Amino acid sequence: MLRTEVVRNILSWYEGETPGLKANLSRLLMHGRLGGTGRVVILPVDQGFEHGPARSFAPNPAAYDPHYLYELAIEAGVSGYAAPLGLLEQGADTFAGEVPLILKMNSGNGLVSGNDQALTGKVEDAMRLGCVGVGFTIYPGSDISYEMIEELRDLSLQAKSRGLMTVVWSYPRGGKVTKEGETALDIIAYGAHMAALMGATIIKVKLPTDHIDLEAAKATYENNHIPRATAADRVRHVMQASFAGKRLVVFSGGAAKNTEELLEEVRAIRDGGGNGSIIGRNSFQRPRAEAVKLLGQVMDLYA
Amino acid sequence: MLRTEVVRNILSWYEGETPGLKANLSRLLMHGRLGGTGRVVILPVDQGFEHGPARSFAPNPAAYDPHYLYELAIEAGVSGYAAPLGLLEQGADTFAGEVPLILKMNSGNGLVSGNDQALTGKVEDAMRLGCVGVGFTIYPGSDISYEMIEELRDLSLQAKSRGLMTVVWSYPRGGKVTKEGETALDIIAYGAHMAALMGATIIKVKLPTDHIDLEAAKATYENNHIPRATAADRVRHVMQASFAGKRLVVFSGGAAKNTEELLEEVRAIRDGGGNGSIIGRNSFQRPRAEAVKLLGQVMDLYA
Amino acid sequence: MLRTEVVRNILSWYEGETPGLKANLSRLLMHGRLGGTGRVVILPVDQGFEHGPARSFAPNPAAYDPHYLYELAIEAGVSGYAAPLGLLEQGADTFAGEVPLILKMNSGNGLVSGNDQALTGKVEDAMRLGCVGVGFTIYPGSDISYEMIEELRDLSLQAKSRGLMTVVWSYPRGGKVTKEGETALDIIAYGAHMAALMGATIIKVKLPTDHIDLEAAKATYENNHIPRATAADRVRHVMQASFAGKRLVVFSGGAAKNTEELLEEVRAIRDGGGNGSIIGRNSFQRPRAEAVKLLGQVMDLYA
Amino acid sequence: MLRTEVVRNILSWYEGETPGLKANLSRLLMHGRLGGTGRVVILPVDQGFEHGPARSFAPNPAAYDPHYLYELAIEAGVSGYAAPLGLLEQGADTFAGEVPLILKMNSGNGLVSGNDQALTGKVEDAMRLGCVGVGFTIYPGSDISYEMIEELRDLSLQAKSRGLMTVVWSYPRGGKVTKEGETALDIIAYGAHMAALMGATIIKVKLPTDHIDLEAAKATYENNHIPRATAADRVRHVMQASFAGKRLVVFSGGAAKNTEELLEEVRAIRDGGGNGSIIGRNSFQRPRAEAVKLLGQVMDLYA
Amino acid sequence: MLRTEVVRNILSWYEGETPGLKANLSRLLMHGRLGGTGRVVILPVDQGFEHGPARSFAPNPAAYDPHYLYELAIEAGVSGYAAPLGLLEQGADTFAGEVPLILKMNSGNGLVSGNDQALTGKVEDAMRLGCVGVGFTIYPGSDISYEMIEELRDLSLQAKSRGLMTVVWSYPRGGKVTKEGETALDIIAYGAHMAALMGATIIKVKLPTDHIDLEAAKATYENNHIPRATAADRVRHVMQASFAGKRLVVFSGGAAKNTEELLEEVRAIRDGGGNGSIIGRNSFQRPRAEAVKLLGQVMDLYA
């Protein structure tokens, strides 16, 4: 399938990036059920590091096997599959070329207190495994947010000069951010904007609530009458904060929820101009047939 | 499109290579009109260095424009496009992701006597431009064949460790090889075998004649009754010499010829078990509609 | 002895690894009394750093001599011998090729408070000494767990590219892990999973108790009815957490205990699908004949 | 002055190059009397290495002083000034920012026989001196043409990744090229094409005669009726050979001649679609007022 | 199987070498039918580079397939398999660990005149593929013998520091060596001695005739009554020249011959104290069953 006008237009936003990065972004945007629509659904499986294996996979034990996760991504026809080193390695050869891969390069560890992450993969690994890009989490607000941002800068330079795109999980937490604020509209928009400022090819944030968390931001949101009543309004604001919608932004829903709630979120993301969803636990924790069906429903809404 | 069984089987030959290399090989094998068949047709445009611009492009002046060559490759639906740095750069951004690219890394220069080539591209360029692989010419037999082989070894190691496949143009000449011998069956088979021994992912050779050139080889061909009466017989022998057919081998026809002659060659390559053709001057020196038609006819034979 | 089907199947899990790594893993799996069974018993002697020489070797003073430890491993016919640099050096020449060696690359130091380790060997040492792999300890949960994980990533990349396999001692401690939790089922499974995500060839963990330590994990274990009543159940869960059993996992019993207790543990490991045991103090702290007899009994159970 | 549409269009040809390179190219194209027209006149002073000081500067002794050359470039309003290290250094501070500079990186040496050149400047020098680009001479055809081409590749990669454009003096000589052939149409077009294939930002060649030098090329020129009767025809063919006119090409006149002859050449370059002239000895060997007047006349023709 | 006294004794000769090298040498000496005897039979397949594919494989076309060669080595139970990069790569994963591998690092090319060879593999490749050692050919006497010897020195240093042993094919030719002299006793002994002086772990030479080639050596052989009447005498002298038999020396028979001739040679090697044979064309050019039978007969003589 050749690139569509929608995809050409998206690539035009990434001016100054290498043709290699654009070719890899194009591979993601042209792959699977949503190929050519400018929307993406990505399967992320990085909960093993964060929550441990049982909390991640016990609800659907087939998912303990890394090949199952590749098969789910391929069968469902999602745009890409993002995971840490070990999960990608166990299947990269068997399924070489069948689904765009994103190497998640850093991961937290649910046994440690605090908001840091360890680097668990390298740009060399991403090339060796045939990935289209690398993923990296930053925690703006946390004590170590500056170190994480500097680490992101180093990795981005390496990755992009070799034609790999970057996906930035931007999750503000700590510092002046309250617990409720982690999903507040102003905070999520702020996190998305910082990822854009860091040169992220794709930005991943949580779907925001209508809460405004920073004291200093409240007047701005009130005085300028920034709409935030509906989820679609809030997505629209996040897109605005992401270079007026000229960066790809995907949203995660977080913990497992029922199908209708999830589809409702997807409609809001679509209506607000978001570029898609990243759906982990809501897919791989369901039985295979249900997961494929759900991902299909999600992609039908985006198509 | 997911990988076919044919393609899975081909990838299985490349054991020990990185998943990245296999993913890039899979991209080539799954692209275009012949995607999934295990056959490939590649558009090479490296004659500018060898023969100069007028001899290359004057028959069809539209081809002076590098974008034309990308468009030809894309419109015709060939498996890949191979060219030196400048030609790939002028279009790599515009057409990012639309056709698998192979950076031809060394090139001769028709103004110099002798059989050397200069390195005109780097592995870094191939990554920056989003190529699936790199191409390299060796002249086994020539005075500098050992230097070329060592240079190939260095580049292969670099390229493969970064997930790029290698295409080796193996053109014996000089030394004990007579002018007629450059297309002799024993010499072509020997050249293909050396490329395989060097670890080439794809081997490119000329379609051989039934001539046997090396004195020392004549008895072997006679005594073992190696069939060589038809072009298909000869292709079959070249495939045998390429690890019993477990390396991809593509054939070039050389100078422009009429359509029927070229299609006849293609039938022989197909019947002898060759993996496809590399068709340069016979395509880009014809008017666009004719070239697209011819490439279509060729691919119909292989499909 | 040629590889068995069991061993071939195990090697197939390690897709994308180099043939060199697989050859070294094969050497371990084909060596000694358990050669070809897919089970391994490894003799580890790294207590000298942790507990000092007297606590390690006074119960059986012959073991102060490094040659004794080589002889014990060879006479008993274990699959491999793992130790820090000095112990391996003293004997590597005398016993070259007689038992697969694993260089333990980091070690704690019982005179310091806290949970760190120092790097006491290098990948170059492992090659120089003819090792089949390198060993590394991580303490997920501890204050320095991220640094250890990043160090492991660097060493793995070096070791694997040179064909050496990695054995990861994954010992969660500190952070949210209580003292009792260090052997809790959820914690051990979590530790094994993290080692798998880091690309470990062989994972070493402690045999878990039926305790669940993390508050956040309790509901998961209850709601999904994860069996944990018997030691075999628990081993089974750890294997599941190790890529559905597609990583080799060996278990340690810890402090010295009586023979029957130890054999009981071995039966549980075997019945739960674990790949074997790593038996240090329980072997080298007994008189030679007893130790050889005990290791023989253990291997008989696994064979 | 903002970039004109003409300049925007030219920059669009250089796809895949960094924004830094485009910004430097834009500086050259927007500077001086021809700013914004898409045409350039460059003052080159590299004859000191080639011919020695007296042959270069005795006709106009004021030009022995490097400041004089800067002043000439600035007063005349040319697009840029290209010279070896020493000449640029003596004035780079005094005239910083007043005229775009091009560091000529290699130079021949009139005391040596043969066709080689030495590297006399480095990319670091070009950055330190605030240059917009670097210049490099290749001699396609000569015994050392492959070495020169590989050296150019290395320097280009360095220069471009740092945002510097490259100007390639492509002067075929030696090998199969006769003395008369050095300015033959087929040879000049070939030289321009090779520079384009090497990724040159700006190509510098000599104005060709209507001679065709390579035996192998004659039929092509005849059979395809490539017009070459007038100098404008020949410039048009060189532009065609330079990626269908999508590379900037500037022409040199060579040895000093009278004003009318030189202006006649300029009209041919203009009418044939060339991008401008590089005028050395014809300017700096005349008295200052005459030189400024002549350069003004040339630029009037191009404007 | 543990090391035998014979093998221990052999390893003791290699004092000063790393334990890693000895472990790899031990792997070779303990492998296959001759494991533990101190004798080795090695299958070398490097004729593809030297003689081309048809002369190498047409007599037994099954051998065109690299897997066949692995299978032959494994089924026959030879001590090791030596081949260039491509042949080892195609099978290194499938047969990982089943036969000790030696990467032949340089190869001649039968299309070129002269006595050079190109480096076609690297020490990194040998590690990645899990080899026990590397092989290298030198041509003492030839114009380039000093370059080859220096190259060997560099590679040996690299290889040995990483625990890889070296096998040196020492083939005097050119210079003062006549054609007949290439197998003369004085020349072969000289070649073996030079390999020993270069630190070769295993020396490979041709079985010598009773000819003495160097004028200067004739008196020595006569005056000292060096026995050379029988092949066993001559082998004994070559062993003497190889550090009084304290280097492993294997002999090749060259072109295909009948079984009885070959076995006769083997008896002479055995009786003269040689360490074994390297048997290429005489094995892989026969049908599989015959080849396995012949290798079995050879090994029976050595056992």
Side-chain angles (χ1 to χ4, degrees), chain C residues 2-3 8 11 17-20 22-23 26-27 74 92-98 127-130 132 161-163, chain E residues 2-3 8 11 17-20 22-23 26-27 74 92-98 127-130 132 161-163:
Chain C
L2 293 186
R3 278 165 20 195
R8 280 178 197 274
L11 295 188
E17 301 290 3
T18 59
K22 291 183 193 179
S26 171
R27 281 174 191 135
I74 292 164
D93 188 86
T94 302
F95 302 99
E98 296 198 39
M127 291 190 291
R128 175 173 61 84
L129 296 171
V132 298
S161 69
R162 288 161 179 79
Chain E
L2 293 186
R3 279 167 19 197
R8 282 179 196 274
L11 296 187
E17 300 289 5
T18 60
K22 291 184 192 176
S26 169
R27 281 175 190 134
I74 292 165
D93 187 86
T94 301
F95 303 99
E98 297 197 35
M127 291 189 291
R128 175 174 62 84
L129 296 172
V132 297
S161 70
R162 287 162 179 78

Side-chain angles (χ1 to χ4, degrees), chain C residues 228-266:
Chain C
R228 64 178 203 268
T230 69
D233 285 341
R234 300 191 291 269
V235 167
R236 204 168 287 118
H237 178 60
V238 172
M239 295 311 295
Q240 205 177 28
S242 302
F243 291 176
K246 291 185 177 167
R247 279 296 171 275
L248 291 163
V249 183
V250 295
F251 293 83
S252 61
K257 54 193 64 166
N258 73 41
T259 300
E260 193 38 47
E261 284 167 352
L262 196 146
L263 295 179
E264 199 52 48
E265 285 182 6
V266 166

Side-chain angles (χ1 to χ4, degrees), chain A residues 3 20 22 93 96 98 128, chain B residues 3 8 20 22 93 96 128:
Chain A
R3 279 168 18 197
K22 291 184 192 178
D93 188 85
E98 296 198 36
R128 175 174 61 85
Chain B
R3 279 166 19 196
R8 281 177 195 275
K22 291 184 193 178
D93 186 86
R128 176 174 60 86

Side-chain angles (χ1 to χ4, degrees), chain B residues 59-60 62 68 72 282-293:
Chain B
N60 177 32
Y68 174 87
L72 177 58
N282 278 296
S283 61
F284 68 72
Q285 290 186 345
R286 300 181 187 210
R288 185 166 181 155
E290 277 184 41
V292 170
K293 186 179 164 202

Side-chain angles (χ1 to χ4, degrees), chain A residues 67 90 94, chain C residues 7-16 22, chain E residues 93:
Chain A
H67 276 210
Q90 174 80 351
T94 301
Chain C
V7 170
R8 280 178 197 274
N9 185 42
I10 290 173
L11 295 188
S12 78
W13 302 337
Y14 294 87
E15 54 179 275
K22 291 183 193 179
Chain E
D93 187 86

Side-chain angles (χ1 to χ4, degrees), chain B residues 172 177-188 211-213:
Chain B
V177 184
T178 67
K179 190 67 195 166
E180 189 190 1
E182 291 180 6
T183 53
L185 178 58
D186 62 325
I187 298 295
I188 295 287
H211 179 60
I212 303 297
D213 198 53

